[in-house]
Amino acid sequence: MGIFSGLFSKDKKPEYPFCKEKAFCFFRQGVIAGGRVRLTLEPEGIVEHYSYVRPAAENECGMKDRGADIYFAGLREGRVKVTITYGYPTCEDETETFTLEVDKDLVVTKAD
């Protein structure tokens, strides 16, 4: 019985295509229906990003999602400026900016 419960468990942990211990995790805010999120990396090629969206429940009218965990995994040593732009149909865009640093062991940390 224990074998089958492990196979069909809903609490199965996701497998990541990167080293989670070295990556930097950023939680982005939820987005309303009709909204959009754009992520820009300058320069490109220093980190790769992976987004794991937290879906909104069906009864949460007006929400596209409840946010996302965005992991930044290092590809090579350096610094990268991350800009996240939230766009909404009836408001001005909101922008969030921060800098990440990747060391020689490809560990990603927030620089500012």
Side-chain angles (χ1 to χ4, degrees):
M1 185 76 155
I3 294 172
F4 291 113
S5 66
L7 289 174
F8 300 107
S9 172
K10 290 183 179 182
D11 296 332
K12 186 176 180 182
K13 293 186 179 186
E15 292 185 29
Y16 298 99
F18 56 88
C19 179
K20 190 176 172 188
E21 287 75 34
K22 291 183 177 185
F24 176 78
C25 182
F26 174 82
F27 175 74
R28 73 146 174 85
Q29 66 188 21
V31 178
I32 62 170
R36 68 186 188 300
V37 177
R38 186 177 69 238
L39 185 113
T40 307
L41 304 171
E42 294 175 24
E44 294 183 359
I46 295 177
V47 295
E48 183 70 46
H49 68 281
Y50 301 88
S51 184
Y52 297 91
V53 175
R54 296 180 184 181
E58 288 183 34
N59 60 353
E60 285 187 85
C61 296
M63 290 301 294
K64 187 173 187 177
D65 65 42
R66 296 188 58 138
D69 291 315
I70 303 174
Y71 288 91
F72 295 91
L75 299 174
R76 64 181 173 92
E77 191 174 1
R79 289 174 70 98
V80 61
K81 179 181 172 186
V82 178
T83 303
I84 301 174
T85 305
Y86 302 93
Y88 301 103
T90 59
C91 303
E92 289 188 32
D93 288 354
E94 295 177 20
T95 302
E96 195 166 352
T97 304
F98 55 92
T99 303
L100 297 176
E101 188 160 350
V102 182
D103 70 10
K104 65 180 179 171
D105 296 323
L106 302 182
V107 175
V108 183
T109 55
K110 191 172 180 181
D112 56 9

